[in-house]
């Protein structure tokens, strides 16, 4: 057996290293290491609760609004309030713009450039794919960056700036929108839709969102002449990205985009072998047996304290090991769409597996499902209604906030003692996905997804390893924080 | 000029802000300015062993490069045997990022701190600073950091601090272009090493809430239109940056977004000594004075302007939308 260290990984957000135990040309075991610790949970202790809104977005430059929204929900929960309708819509809009921009960054800048790797140079599709997706010079990449910059101008109006806004508050938003600003926002969304329909799909969003299974997808594909989705599907078949990198974990979604009255655009739940069960927050725990912290066995987030210990024996990552009722979970767009029962994703997973292909396709499908929701939320804003309400906190209280970030389930657990933050725990999507082993030696989702991949004992690490790792769209700065 | 970009103990938000550059395709703009991205963690193809070999070649001097950009604070902790180990952040097989940055900084022609973390320690150094985070050449307001106060680059410049949390995409792009073209001199930097083209302005300049400021008509709650300096902690009159002259993401800024300036371009902004959204006051007068304003005059003018506040301004200050429009004046016929 040979141990190989793969890293540093670039084109992921933050720092990542993977150790692979290779036996007979295949990965026998994988260990995922998040090699950066900054200590936000320690920094937050003793601060005024509302100051969390300044600190937590700065955990992550790519999921900044998601962190902010989770903190706002934890504070609102502690205060026992809910924002007025406009505030809820503005929070949805702000979070959705970030999530969609992240999906775009992932596909064009992080994931696809790996198919321009030298090892594919002989493939029939290589010339076309590398011309479009080669890092820094591909045509698609240049166009996507321009579309992203224009789309992010929505943040100027919704949130003042991005990243690191303070506009998302427990009581709503600090940025009431006027009729004329809503008009300009509609224009920005319209241009983004045009980019997606021309470049990514070469079809209307409604056509893509309406594909209700593999048969429909195949029928659509046969007549498709252009678009990056068509190119991706071609790669997925040729390289069998469908079966590649399956984690076999449960799929967790905490529910995406609050539609009011307890409803979500994408429902919360836990998907396991075709069945969806309700998500029970009290079943969440974190284990630090193999993480560089004082402690060991699983604890509930509200009862945890984070005390780093670099040289802890047996520990190999700064990432903790979150578990749901003791089980590992995978989270992200694929989890959201599976839990929500989206027909195409459900059918694909049932027939071809929940691997790299399904993860990426679910993300692309979210463009087609979320952009129309953006248009609807903008129409529903009422410039004359209230946007923000006060959220006074008691001296001693508890709050929990859940949000679906681009990469999946994000939870904040807040304890207020004597008017100050007594405890603050964060479990980010990639903490779930890139979890290390727990007290029972149970590996995390990526650690399982890597097992069995063909990797030589020496020489270049094959691109499949990169495809599997990046298909999760890891955000390492959130993972450890 | 060849550029290497490393991400140290930060959030990656400086890069993400930069990708929102709006005056043309970023990579083309850089190429036109004569800048070649040799390695950037979000943009480069090279990963793993290949990336490591590349960076090692530049760190050892086998290959030469020109600009080192560091994003994120330098984590000195944990301390082992009374020495900073840097082990809170390892890069490339267990080597502290701190070591990579020090080796590369000695080989670079220019060293640029991207964002307030790399410049001063920033948000990563907040609270009890659990990782012993510092900037490249500043530890908060104190000169020093990991490179020491006497560090100068090949042309005699200190570390160039493109501060901000995050910095505006233009600040980064324009600083790099000026360096590549030899147009950034020591005179172009302020006392904290910040390029003066953006740091010689105050966030207050161009603030759309100026009429409320003039009459000290303050908002009381988030979302209201009044000045955020009186009650809600705004530091725009002290913070060095052109955020309300050069807008963010199209038409934005913190003030335009309805929330206070937290002076994120300044060292030690992360520990203001009071809750961020509350203005500390003594006897009803805000403690933090506007830059260059004598206290007695500020108190006198504030009292005078407050008594002269037009009802329209007063009423709109605590409302989420305009309640009363300015009166229309007709020319005398």
């Amino acid at each position: 057996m040979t141990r190989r260290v793969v890293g540093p990984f670039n084109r992921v957000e933050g720092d990542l290293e993977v150790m692979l135990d290779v036996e007979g040309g295949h990965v026998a075991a994988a260990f995922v290491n998040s090699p950066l610790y900054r200590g936000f949970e320690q920094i937050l202790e003793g601060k005024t609760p509302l100051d969390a809104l300044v600190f937590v977005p700065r955990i992550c430059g790519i999921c900044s609004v998601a962190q902010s929204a989770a903190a706002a929900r934890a504070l609102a929960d502690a205060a026992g309030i809910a924002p007025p309708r406009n505030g809820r819509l503005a929070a949805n809009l702000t979070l959705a713009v970030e999530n969609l921009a992240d999906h775009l960054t992932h596909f064009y800048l992080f994931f696809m450039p790996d198919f321009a790797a030298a090892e594919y140079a002989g493939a029939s599709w290589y010339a076309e794919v590398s011309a479009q997706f080669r890092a820094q010079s591909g045509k698609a990449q240049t166009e996507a960056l321009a579309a992203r910059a224009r789309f992010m101008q929505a943040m100027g109006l919704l949130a003042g700036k991005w990243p690191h806004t303070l506009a998302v508050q427990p009581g709503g938003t600090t940025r009431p929108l006027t009729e004329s600003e809503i008009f300009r926002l509609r224009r920005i969304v319209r241009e983004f839709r045009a980019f997606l329909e021309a470049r990514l799909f070469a079809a209307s969003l409604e056509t893509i969102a309406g594909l209700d299974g593999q048969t429909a997808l195949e029928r659509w594909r046969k007549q498709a002449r252009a678009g990056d989705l068509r190119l991706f599907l071609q790669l997925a078949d040729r390289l069998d990205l469908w079966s590649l990198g399956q984690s076999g974990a449960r799929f967790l979604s905490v529910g995406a985009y609050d539609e009011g009255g307890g409803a979500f655009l994408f429902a919360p739940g836990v998907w396991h072998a075709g069945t969806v069960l309700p998500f029970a927050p009290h079943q969440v725990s974190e284990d630090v047996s193999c993480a560089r912290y004082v402690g060991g066995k699983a604890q509930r987030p509200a009862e945890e304290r984070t005390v780093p210990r670099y040289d802890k024996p047996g520990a190999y990552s700064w990432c903790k090991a979150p578990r749901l009722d003791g089980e590992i979970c995978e989270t992200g767009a694929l989890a959201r769409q599976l839990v929500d029962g989206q027909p195409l994703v459900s059918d694909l997973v049932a027939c071809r597996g929940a691997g790299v292909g399904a993860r990426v396709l679910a993300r692309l499908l979210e463009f087609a499902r979320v952009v129309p929701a953006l248009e609807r939320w903008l129409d529903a804003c009422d410039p004359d209604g209230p946007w923000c309400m006060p959220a006074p906190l008691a001296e001693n209280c508890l709050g929990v906030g859940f949000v679906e970030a681009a990469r999946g389930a994000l939870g904040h657990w807040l304890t207020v003692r004597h008017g100050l933050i007594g405890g603050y725990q964060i479990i980010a999507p990639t903490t779930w996905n890139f979890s290390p082993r727990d007290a029972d030696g149970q590996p995390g989702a990526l650690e399982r997804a890597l097992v069995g991949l063909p990797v030589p004992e020496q020489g270049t690490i094959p691109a499949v390893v990169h495809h599997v790792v990046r298909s999760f769209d890891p955000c390492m700065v959130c993972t450890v924080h | 000029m060849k550029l290497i970009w490393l991400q140290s103990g930060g959030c990656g938000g400086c890069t993400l802000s930069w990708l929102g550059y709006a005056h043309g395709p970023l990579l083309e703009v850089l190429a036109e300015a004569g800048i070649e991205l040799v390695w950037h963690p979000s943009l480069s193809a090279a990963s793993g062993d290949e990336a490591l070999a590349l960076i090692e070649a530049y760190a050892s001097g086998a290959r030469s490069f020109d600009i080192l950009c560091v994003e994120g604070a330098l984590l000195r902790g944990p301390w082992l045997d009374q020495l900073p180990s840097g082990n809170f952040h390892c890069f490339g097989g267990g080597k502290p990022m701190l070591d990579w940055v020090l080796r590369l900084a000695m080989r670079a022609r220019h060293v640029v701190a991207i964002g307030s973390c790399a410049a001063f320690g920033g948000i990563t150094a907040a609270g009890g600073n659990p990782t012993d985070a510092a900037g490249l050449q500043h530890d908060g307001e104190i000169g020093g950091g990991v490179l020491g106060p006497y560090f100068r680059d090949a042309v005699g410049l200190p570390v160039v601090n493109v501060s901000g949390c995050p910095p505006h995409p233009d600040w980064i792009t324009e600083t790099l272009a000026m360096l590549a073209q030899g147009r950034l001199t020591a005179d172009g930097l302020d006392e904290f090493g910040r390029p003066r083209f953006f740091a010689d302005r105050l966030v207050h300049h161009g603030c759309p809430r100026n009429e409320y400021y003039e009459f000290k008509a303050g908002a009381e709650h988030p979302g209201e239109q009044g000045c955020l300096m009186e009650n809600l902690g705004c530091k725009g009159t002290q913070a060095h940056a052109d955020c309300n002259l050069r807008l963010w993401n199209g038409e934005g800024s913190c003030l335009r977004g309805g929330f206070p300036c937290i002076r994120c371009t300044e060292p030690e902004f992360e520990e203001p000594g009071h809750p961020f959204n509350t203005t500390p006051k003594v006897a009803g007068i805000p403690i933090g004075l506007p830059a260059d304003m004598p206290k007695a005059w500020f108190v006198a003018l504030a009292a005078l302007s407050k008594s002269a506040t037009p009802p329209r301004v007063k009423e709109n200050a605590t409302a989420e939308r305009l309640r009363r429009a300015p009166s229309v004046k007709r020319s005398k016929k």
Side-chain angles (χ1 to χ4, degrees):
Chain A
M1 191 191 73
T2 312
R3 171 158 291 192
R4 303 202 55 177
V5 179
V6 192
F9 273 86
N10 64 339
R11 285 178 286 113
V12 302
E13 190 56 39
D15 289 81
L16 168 67
E17 227 173 62
V18 176
M19 290 165 286
L20 302 175
D21 286 348
V22 179
E23 225 176 290
H26 290 272
V27 175
F31 303 82
V32 180
N33 175 16
S34 306
L36 166 64
Y37 174 75
R38 287 169 299 154
F40 274 82
E41 292 163 342
Q42 287 179 284
I43 289 170
L44 282 163
E45 283 185 18
K47 302 277 180 206
T48 304
L50 273 176
D51 279 358
L53 294 175
V54 171
F55 287 99
V56 301
R58 291 171 165 87
I59 287 170
C60 176
I62 203 163
C63 321
S64 169
V65 168
Q67 293 285 359
S68 175
R73 283 201 190 160
L75 287 159
D77 181 42
I81 60 146
R85 202 169 100 105
N86 281 331
R88 175 175 61 72
L89 293 168
N92 280 352
L93 284 160
T94 314
L95 182 59
V97 169
E98 176 175 280
N99 285 351
L100 294 179
D102 281 9
H103 283 357
L104 195 77
T105 309
H106 176 260
F107 185 74
Y108 286 100
L109 262 60
F110 295 169
F111 181 75
M112 290 300 283
D114 285 324
F115 296 97
E119 73 173 81
Y120 291 130
S124 60
W125 45 263
Y126 184 77
E128 187 184 6
V129 169
S130 66
Q132 295 296 343
F133 294 102
R134 188 188 299 279
Q136 290 187 57
S137 59
K139 188 169 176 292
Q141 209 173 76
T142 310
E143 284 181 32
L145 263 176
R148 180 187 175 280
R150 170 65 178 142
F151 187 50
M152 289 311 269
Q153 294 194 346
M155 287 301 198
L157 287 165
L158 286 165
K161 67 166 184 180
W162 186 91
H164 305 342
T165 176
L166 271 169
V168 184
Q169 294 280 321
T173 173
T174 63
R175 185 62 171 91
L177 295 167
T178 63
E179 201 60 71
S180 113
E181 288 157 350
I182 293 169
F183 182 86
R184 276 172 274 164
L185 282 165
R186 281 202 200 98
R187 277 301 314 153
I188 293 171
V189 175
R190 182 82 207 157
E191 282 178 44
F192 191 59
R193 175 188 267 270
F195 166 82
L196 296 170
E197 294 186 337
R199 168 89 236 180
L200 179 60
F201 295 130
S204 76
L205 299 188
E206 285 68 20
T207 303
I208 301 300
L211 298 171
D212 60 0
Q214 269 203 96
T215 321
L217 182 69
E218 282 312 310
R219 203 181 313 126
W220 172 78
R221 230 177 112 171
K222 283 212 176 82
Q223 53 79 44
R225 293 285 166 270
D228 298 325
L229 171 62
R230 180 193 59 101
L231 215 51
F232 168 73
L233 291 172
Q234 191 187 334
L235 288 175
D237 282 356
R238 295 282 176 85
L239 302 170
D240 194 17
L241 300 181
W242 304 109
S243 64
L244 185 71
Q246 304 191 51
S247 74
R250 286 154 205 245
F251 285 85
L252 165 68
S253 166
V254 293
Y257 308 117
D258 182 356
E259 295 275 26
F264 292 88
L265 181 64
F266 304 139
V270 182
W271 186 96
H272 179 52
T275 313
V276 177
L277 299 165
F279 164 55
H282 69 270
Q283 292 180 337
V284 175
S285 64
E286 280 197 299
D287 176 299
V288 294
S289 302
C290 293
R292 302 180 191 275
Y293 302 96
V294 173
K297 268 218 156 282
Q299 274 192 305
R300 286 192 190 181
E303 289 150 14
E304 266 182 280
R305 279 206 76 209
T306 301
V307 182
R309 190 180 159 198
Y310 173 73
D311 53 0
K312 178 170 155 182
Y316 61 88
S317 179
W318 290 108
C319 181
K320 295 180 186 174
R323 297 291 182 261
L324 186 72
D325 198 19
E327 301 285 343
I328 64 163
C329 287
E330 178 178 332
T331 187
L334 176 55
R336 280 195 289 273
Q337 298 307 321
L338 272 177
V339 168
D340 196 52
Q342 203 281 332
L344 174 58
V345 169
S346 306
D347 193 27
L348 269 171
V349 166
C351 304
R352 311 183 76 170
V356 171
R359 273 181 210 116
V360 175
L361 188 76
R363 223 172 261 126
L364 298 182
L365 197 63
E366 286 200 345
F367 285 115
R369 294 195 72 193
V370 178
V371 169
L374 280 174
E375 293 162 343
R376 177 163 58 75
W377 294 329
L378 279 172
D379 288 343
C381 285
D382 170 19
D384 294 328
W387 293 81
C388 197
M389 61 185 288
L393 286 177
E395 283 287 291
N396 296 290
C397 52
L398 298 171
V400 186
F402 293 109
V403 154
E404 278 289 321
R407 296 156 186 79
L410 169 64
H412 284 204
W413 284 261
L414 161 73
T415 307
V416 178
R417 265 187 230 115
H418 311 297
L420 299 174
I421 295 175
Y424 206 108
Q425 290 290 323
I426 299 151
I427 302 183
T430 311
T431 321
W432 287 101
N433 291 335
F434 284 21
S435 151
R437 283 157 171 74
D438 55 26
D440 300 328
Q442 191 179 203
L446 174 65
E447 292 183 333
R448 281 172 52 167
L450 287 166
V451 171
L453 290 189
V455 170
E457 306 218 351
Q458 289 169 13
T460 313
I461 298 288
V464 282
V465 172
H466 292 272
H467 300 330
V468 172
V469 169
R470 290 204 182 82
S471 71
F472 285 89
D473 190 8
C475 178
M476 307 312 295
V477 282
C478 277
T479 304
V480 174
H481 43 264
Chain B
M1 282 205 172
K2 290 186 183 340
L3 186 153
I4 295 177
W5 184 300
L6 294 180
Q7 284 176 336
S8 189
C11 71
C14 302
T15 287
L16 271 302
S17 173
W18 193 35
L19 294 183
Y21 185 72
H23 305 286
L26 181 60
L27 297 168
E28 276 176 46
V29 172
L30 292 175
E32 273 168 27
I35 295 167
E36 180 197 344
L37 281 186
V38 174
W39 199 74
H40 185 293
S42 305
L43 298 169
S44 296
S47 196
D49 290 346
E50 197 189 340
L52 216 50
L54 189 75
I55 296 166
E56 175 59 37
Y58 289 105
S60 68
R63 286 201 202 182
S64 67
F65 72 108
D66 303 287
I67 301 177
L68 173 67
C69 288
V70 178
E71 171 182 0
L74 288 309
L75 310 186
R76 295 173 294 193
W79 286 64
L80 302 174
D81 300 328
Q82 298 180 329
L83 287 170
S85 74
N87 281 336
F88 279 128
H89 184 198
C90 291
F91 177 83
K95 287 188 200 135
M97 178 57 99
L98 188 61
D99 292 355
W100 287 105
V101 168
L102 294 176
R103 288 175 71 205
L104 284 159
M106 296 308 145
R107 303 277 179 194
R109 193 170 159 77
H110 304 296
V111 179
V112 185
I114 304 286
S116 292
C117 289
F120 311 124
I123 214 84
T124 318
N129 194 357
T131 56
D132 198 19
L136 282 169
Q137 204 172 8
H138 284 85
D139 193 345
E141 286 185 357
I142 303 162
V146 300
L147 292 178
Y150 304 111
F151 172 86
R152 291 295 179 271
D153 72 12
V155 299
L157 290 178
V159 171
V160 177
N161 286 328
V162 186
S163 62
C165 191
H168 192 289
D170 293 6
W171 303 344
I172 303 173
T173 311
E174 290 170 20
T175 301
L176 295 177
M178 286 165 82
L179 275 175
Q181 291 160 5
R183 297 162 77 100
L184 193 62
T185 62
D187 289 344
L189 302 176
D190 78 353
E191 61 191 271
F192 286 129
R194 299 175 295 197
R196 293 175 61 181
F197 73 85
F198 71 85
D200 276 359
R201 300 286 190 165
L202 294 173
V203 170
H204 186 51
H205 299 164
C207 177
R209 295 172 190 246
N210 63 0
E211 195 186 29
Y212 298 103
Y213 177 82
E214 285 162 20
F215 291 107
K216 299 289 164 288
E220 288 165 9
H221 301 105
E224 296 172 355
Q225 298 183 86
C227 177
L228 303 179
M229 186 247 194
E230 198 180 4
N231 304 309
L232 297 178
C234 183
K235 297 233 165 58
T237 56
Q238 308 158 43
H240 287 244
D242 57 7
C243 299
N244 277 304
L245 296 168
R246 180 201 305 265
L247 300 184
W248 289 72
N249 301 100
E251 326 183 22
S253 73
C254 294
L255 279 302
R256 283 157 211 258
F259 50 92
C261 166
I262 57 169
R263 62 192 283 281
C264 74
T265 54
E266 304 292 327
E268 301 182 19
F269 85 92
E270 66 278 5
E271 285 297 332
H274 60 81
F276 280 98
N277 66 345
T278 310
T279 305
K281 297 177 191 176
V282 170
I285 312 284
I287 297 172
L289 289 173
D292 313 310
M293 184 83 178
K295 185 169 184 181
W297 277 110
F298 179 76
V299 173
L301 282 175
L304 191 63
S305 61
K306 199 152 194 162
S307 54
T309 310
R312 165 179 63 83
V313 174
K314 195 171 181 174
E315 198 176 318
N316 287 336
T318 53
E320 287 188 331
R321 67 192 143 277
L322 274 188
R323 293 216 180 277
R324 213 191 266 215
S327 57
V328 177
K329 287 220 165 139
R330 291 175 189 276
S331 57
K332 287 177 188 151
K333 292 252 165 80

